[in-house]
Amino acid sequence: MAEAAKPESRHFTLRPGFAVFVGLFVLTLYFLWAAYGAAPTSLSFLAEESAGPAPVTPMAGMDVQSASVENMAQDGGGAMTPDEFEEITLKFVEDLSLPDGSVQPTREWTEAMEAARGDGAQEEMDAAGPADAEEPIDVYLMAMRFSYEPRVLRLDRNVPYRFRMMSMDVNHGASIRAGFAGHIMRRPAMVLTEMVMTFSERGEFMIYCTVYCGAGHDQMKGKIIVE
Amino acid sequence: MTKTKSKLIAGTRNLNPGDKNLLLAFFSIAVLALALGIVFATMTAAGRTGLFGIESATAYRMLGLHGVTIFFYWLYFVQAGFVLLLAAVYTEGAGEVALRPLAWLGFVTMLAGMVSSESSYFGGTILLYDGNPSLLIDDPSEGRFFYLGYVLLSAGLAMVATCAIATAVRPKFRGVIESWTPISFAAVAWSGLLLVAAVAGANAFLPPLFWTLGLRESVAGYAMSWSVLFHNMHYLPLMATVVLWYVLMENVTGMQSVFGPKFSKIVFAIYMIFVPPTSLYHMFLEPDLAEAVRVVGSLLSLFIAVPTILVFVVIVASLESYARAQGGRGLFGWIKLLPWRNPVMAAVGMAAVNMALGGVFSMVLIQERLAVLLSDTFYVPGYFHFLTVGGISLTFIAALIYVIPSLTGHRCWRPAVLARLPYILTIGLGLFGAGGIAAGYHGVPRRIFELAYHVDDPVEHIDAPFVWGTMMGVIGAGSLLMAAVLAIYVYALLRMLFSQNREIGVDVASLYVVSWSGSAATRERAWVGPLSILAMVAAMYGFTALSFEILQRVPILVGAAGH
Ligand code: HEM
Ligand SMILES: [Cu+2]
């Protein structure tokens, strides 16, 4: 029997310890992640405050009931019901539509809306951010079976936009094809998500649904024109 | 040609007729599910690549049926058969399946589940295999048969796993044996995981079943309970595959692990110890998850690759040292001594290659930050077909080539043809995977049949990029090759199940093997296993780095949301 061979007579590549060593090699991938800033290099992450939008996670967001109150609060947009969201999105489209049907968000509109709301809370939160950062312009994007509203957005290059997005019925995606890759985003149902995005290149970018949402899923798309 | 003293063949032949019928029932339905799944796969691929005209609604039905039939029913019927078979054949003193009536009940329950799941696709709303219940908001009752199918499958699996455990435990209880062989130990660990999956399945699918029956107001938390189930489901067929590699390599070469039986048991135990607990990390996958928890989750998912790598190293190092004892020379020269003319050897060899490829690309995707580039794109089916088709299904088919003729007494159909199929399948998968992964990097979504995105309004109109179509063409070519190869395999398995094929068949015990038993050269080096792992890890580094570089070049800057 092979096992009968005395350990000393074995080549080291045939010892269990070496096999385990080789097996653990895959863990070194962590160093590469750290080099790209995708993994903490010290325990400092314990003190780090979470910043930025939540990354899209492979399995998250397939839930009927994800519209919990906690979720909405955590998503930072303040609690907003789907009805309120629909109302403001329709106003956004009505106020800012151009003759060709595309919608061009403006800073004036964003400020007027903030003033109208008397939104102290919003300003307080803004003040907490870096003071020199340019204040983003609001964009509303509503996803529903099987279209987006507005369908065509006209944005300026190198200007930050605060996308406020909600799926009105089931989970959808609102991915943007830019450069030669996709920027994949999931939008769980009835949850308001906010994300500030700045487009650094001119062009026409496709918005497309990347979460299967029913029979018309593959007709669900929109467009962002960056000028 | 050496007549094999194969334990697998001899042990299977020695089973009593009642057990043989039971196992044949599982394997016949498994082959049927595979056949159906391939038909649906071909239609799905046709829909995606424009191979022949197929409406979008039909294509979604085919995609759903493909996923359900092949990922659930093919993989679990075949596993049920093998877990019972290995427990009965490899546990000394067992010799038969314990609690056989319960196993039959499990079979009937699983079959009823399959009928129920398939029939749900005659309805209106189309669920894909992940059964997202929110798609049923208009009319929940349309999902009844879908969830009923999965619930029955889970219940049946629990019964089968119980029988397999009982089969292995009984001789120990009766004092016939002192300890298990590594294989019966593995069968018990595998059954344990099957039980966990069955419970996770019931936990995920009972609430939506009750909801679709009108017995519940809503389904909360489906996404999470599906994730927990899905996590366990990833590792089950993976573990089954490496156990079968071990069994099959022992059968075609006579080798034993040079690391000893205890080490093999520890490795198999790692699956059982780590897989279910790590599924809990999905519970923390909420959007506002703390960085630390994400990192721990990612590290755990890295760790979970370790047992599979260990089994690979154990098998390759053992083969290498046995081959060296037979005079095998050179770093790679010894590989030529393996019995490649045997269809099972060729299949397992290519399965290892495909598994490595799939492993590399799956390790890229576990980095959470890359989800924004690759999740929900064709990258995902692009890489996992290496695992599900080239690694897992090919291994199960290889094992069936030995086992079905041993059960039926029929011959193995045209071994010379079967020994070539794994290479053609790998070429097909290479096209499918390369096209799919490239498509994923270009943002081609998965689960989309109208890639053109055409509308008449000039302001709204935007063309999908031209390269998208090109890559779908490559995927289509790969799909055709894969489908052709798998169809030939299915035909061969059906012949072995139902036809004597005296003229063109060969007795499985006379398939070409080598007999290296009892002669490992443990003084000699065995570098090929470790070097392959090194190459794999290097490829993981390469593709992870490539992905980060591409991500950084996407002309969208995502900043803090001002709060
Ligand atoms: C002839 C061989 C096969 C071909 C040509 C094929 C092709 C495809 C295609 C084109 C898709 C659709 C991708 C998309 O649009 O999202 C797909 C999805 C899938 N395939 Fe296969 N496949 C094959 C075999 C298998 C096998 C053997 C398995 C598992 C054991 C499998 C599991 C899956 C799964 C789980 C999905 C995902 C379904 C979903 O997204 O809902 N496939 N396959
Ligand atoms: Cu959608």
Side-chain angles (χ1 to χ4, degrees), chain A residues 144-146 170-172 209 211-218 220, chain B residues 135:
Chain A
M144 64 223 143
R145 296 197 284 179
F146 296 100
V170 301
N171 303 324
H172 291 284
C209 183
V211 174
Y212 174 68
C213 57
H217 169 52
D218 55 2
M220 213 176 140
Chain B
L135 298 176

Side-chain angles (χ1 to χ4, degrees), chain A residues 9-11 13 28 30 33 36-37 45 54 56 65 145 151 177 180 184 186 196 198 200 208 212 218 221 223, chain B residues 56 126 219 258 287 292 367 369 371-372 376 442-443 453 459-461 465 468 522-523 526 541 549 555 557 559:
Chain A
S9 66
R10 276 166 184 248
H11 191 263
T13 53
T28 64
Y30 192 87
W33 295 353
Y36 276 102
F45 66 80
V56 184
Q65 299 298 318
R145 296 197 284 179
R151 287 168 163 268
R177 190 169 182 290
F180 75 92
I184 310 295
R186 288 186 176 178
V196 175
T198 310
S200 57
Y208 56 115
Y212 174 68
D218 55 2
K221 69 139 199 305
K223 175 158 123 179
Chain B
S56 190
I126 304 163
V219 241
V258 293
Q367 169 45 251
R369 296 270 175 98
V372 70
D376 301 331
H442 280 83
Y453 283 109
V459 181
E460 281 187 24
H461 173 75
W468 282 18
T522 48
R523 276 167 212 277
Y541 274 70
E549 294 297 328
L557 305 173

Side-chain angles (χ1 to χ4, degrees), chain B residues 334-558:
Chain B
W334 62 269
I335 296 175
K336 280 185 281 190
L337 298 190
L338 292 168
W340 293 105
R341 268 191 284 152
N342 183 317
V344 174
M345 178 70 229
V348 174
M350 284 299 108
V353 170
N354 285 310
M355 197 82 118
L357 287 170
V360 166
F361 294 108
S362 68
M363 284 294 153
V364 174
L365 203 58
I366 59 169
Q367 169 45 251
E368 303 273 331
R369 296 270 175 98
L370 294 174
V372 70
L373 183 70
L374 298 171
S375 73
D376 301 331
T377 69
F378 211 102
Y379 182 98
V380 180
Y383 92 78
F384 77 61
H385 280 80
F386 279 119
L387 300 171
T388 56
V389 183
I392 293 164
S393 296
L394 186 57
T395 302
F396 283 132
I397 291 171
L400 287 177
I401 290 174
Y402 260 149
V403 161
I404 290 180
S406 306
L407 288 168
T408 57
H410 297 165
R411 290 164 168 244
C412 173
W413 182 83
R414 291 195 187 273
V417 172
L418 296 184
R420 287 186 176 80
L421 293 181
Y423 308 103
I424 307 173
L425 183 68
T426 305
I427 295 171
L429 263 167
L431 291 171
F432 185 94
I437 286 164
Y441 278 116
H442 280 83
V444 177
R446 66 188 288 195
R447 298 175 163 184
I448 289 272
F449 294 98
E450 288 291 334
L451 273 186
Y453 283 109
H454 184 84
V455 284
D456 288 330
D457 181 311
V459 181
E460 281 187 24
H461 173 75
I462 180 162
D463 269 328
F466 181 76
V467 280
W468 282 18
T470 314
M471 290 177 298
M472 293 322 291
V474 177
I475 294 168
S479 298
L480 281 183
L481 267 184
M482 286 153 68
V485 169
L486 290 179
I488 299 173
Y489 268 132
V490 166
Y491 176 75
L493 293 174
L494 289 174
R495 292 286 300 242
M496 295 180 220
L497 275 168
F498 300 113
S499 146
Q500 303 287 344
N501 58 78
R502 295 222 171 276
E503 303 85 56
I504 49 175
V506 172
D507 179 359
V508 270
S510 328
L511 287 176
Y512 177 69
V513 296
V514 291
S515 226
W516 293 343
S517 33
S519 53
T522 48
R523 276 167 212 277
E524 295 218 46
R525 68 212 146 91
W527 275 115
V528 169
L531 284 178
S532 331
I533 300 303
L534 210 62
M536 260 181 78
V537 174
M540 286 174 200
Y541 274 70
F543 280 98
T544 301
L546 173 74
S547 310
F548 275 116
E549 294 297 328
I550 291 176
L551 182 62
Q552 287 169 356
R553 280 165 184 71
V554 174
I556 303 177
L557 305 173
V558 179

Side-chain angles (χ1 to χ4, degrees), chain A:
Chain A
M1 283 297 276
E3 300 85 86
K6 285 195 190 101
E8 316 85 72
S9 66
R10 276 166 184 248
H11 191 263
F12 73 94
T13 53
L14 291 175
R15 295 194 188 167
F18 182 72
V20 171
F21 171 73
V22 171
L24 294 177
F25 232 76
V26 62
L27 298 185
T28 64
L29 202 57
Y30 192 87
F31 296 118
L32 184 70
W33 295 353
Y36 276 102
T41 44
S42 71
L43 290 179
S44 65
F45 66 80
L46 291 174
E48 180 186 302
E49 55 190 276
S50 98
V56 184
T57 51
M59 294 312 301
M62 296 196 347
D63 199 348
V64 199
Q65 299 298 318
S66 50
S68 67
V69 180
E70 307 95 78
N71 251 341
M72 286 196 275
Q74 283 173 1
D75 269 304
M80 195 186 266
T81 66
D83 286 344
E84 287 164 354
F85 185 83
E86 180 164 2
E87 193 183 324
I88 191 163
T89 304
L90 294 180
K91 182 168 168 47
F92 169 75
V93 172
E94 197 183 304
D95 292 352
L96 298 168
S97 282
L98 301 179
D100 67 2
S102 64
V103 172
Q104 186 164 40
T106 63
R107 187 172 305 284
E108 293 71 44
W109 190 86
T110 305
E111 282 164 3
M113 290 301 288
E114 255 168 42
R117 262 200 317 254
D119 199 345
Q122 184 68 47
E123 260 145 50
E124 208 177 284
M125 282 192 286
D126 292 342
D132 56 341
E134 192 179 352
E135 192 51 30
I137 297 174
D138 280 350
V139 174
Y140 285 84
L141 186 64
M142 187 161 83
M144 64 223 143
R145 296 197 284 179
F146 296 100
S147 62
Y148 296 102
E149 191 61 41
R151 287 168 163 268
V152 183
L153 283 165
R154 219 172 259 282
L155 307 180
D156 287 326
R157 194 165 69 105
N158 291 337
V159 172
Y161 289 92
R162 180 189 292 114
F163 277 71
R164 313 187 86 192
M165 298 172 278
M166 191 184 281
S167 295
M168 309 307 289
D169 36 42
V170 301
N171 303 324
H172 291 284
S175 301
I176 304 171
R177 190 169 182 290
F180 75 92
H183 182 85
I184 310 295
M185 290 186 282
R186 288 186 176 178
R187 299 278 72 100
M190 266 83 82
V191 179
L192 177 71
T193 8
E194 278 193 2
M195 185 182 269
V196 175
M197 288 191 276
T198 310
F199 294 81
S200 57
E201 267 175 27
R202 267 181 253 279
E204 299 197 340
F205 302 128
M206 184 163 81
I207 308 176
Y208 56 115
C209 183
T210 41
V211 174
Y212 174 68
C213 57
H217 169 52
D218 55 2
Q219 284 139 38
M220 213 176 140
K221 69 139 199 305
K223 175 158 123 179
I224 297 178
I225 303 168
V226 179
E227 299 175 322

